[in-house]
Amino acid sequence: MNKVIKVLSLVLVLTSSVYLPSAFAVTANNTASTTEMLITLAETDPVLIDRLNDIALTDKKLLKQLLNMAESEPVKLERLLNLAERNAHMFWMIANIYNAQSITLEQPVDEQPFSTFGAISDGGIIQN
């Protein structure tokens, strides 16, 4: 029984570690592209950088939302910032819609996938 648990634990660790590099790459890529966008803006539009700096000092949540929604596009960032300054209520409604896209709804219990490799009954594993 201990061998089975050790093998299952090892399989679980190995399968979960496969996804870590790709998740890190997406996060690193997004951060790098945001940094590139900010550097480009600093070189071409220092007024926009000054506005973003003011937001960074006063409202970090707004800044994070702006950078996420801009998707590393300077024009989109400026439009979103203008909207946030002109009509904050409308901006946050758009932000809620944007954030709702990324949330995945859990499947009902009836539709969830399940494994048929074996079943535990009375302390032992019954092989199918």
Side-chain angles (χ1 to χ4, degrees):
M1 183 67 182
N2 273 344
K3 277 188 171 182
V4 172
I5 292 174
K6 286 180 183 179
V7 169
L8 289 175
S9 298
L10 183 61
V11 168
L12 179 63
V13 167
L14 291 175
T15 56
S16 64
S17 67
V18 169
Y19 297 104
L20 288 177
S22 61
F24 178 72
V26 168
T27 305
N29 217 0
N30 189 19
T31 304
S33 58
T34 301
T35 304
E36 286 292 323
M37 177 190 64
L38 291 173
I39 291 170
T40 302
L41 284 173
E43 296 169 347
T44 60
D45 194 354
V47 174
L48 182 59
I49 291 294
D50 189 42
R51 289 168 62 195
L52 290 171
N53 186 51
D54 289 342
I55 291 173
L57 295 172
T58 58
D59 192 353
K60 290 178 182 10
K61 180 181 175 186
L62 174 61
L63 179 65
K64 184 175 181 179
Q65 188 67 49
L66 284 166
L67 292 175
N68 283 339
M69 290 175 65
E71 298 169 346
S72 301
E73 296 180 29
V75 174
K76 195 183 289 186
L77 177 62
E78 187 169 15
R79 290 179 64 203
L80 287 166
L81 182 56
N82 290 338
L83 179 63
E85 290 174 345
R86 256 191 348 264
N87 190 345
H89 180 68
M90 182 64 67
F91 171 79
W92 285 110
M93 286 193 315
I94 292 171
N96 287 336
I97 294 167
Y98 177 84
N99 292 337
Q101 292 179 40
S102 62
I103 297 174
T104 57
L105 299 175
E106 291 187 25
Q107 296 175 340
V109 176
D110 299 346
E111 298 175 12
Q112 289 183 356
F114 61 93
S115 172
T116 59
F117 291 119
I120 298 176
S121 174
D122 297 332
I125 295 180
I126 302 171
Q127 298 291 331
N128 290 337

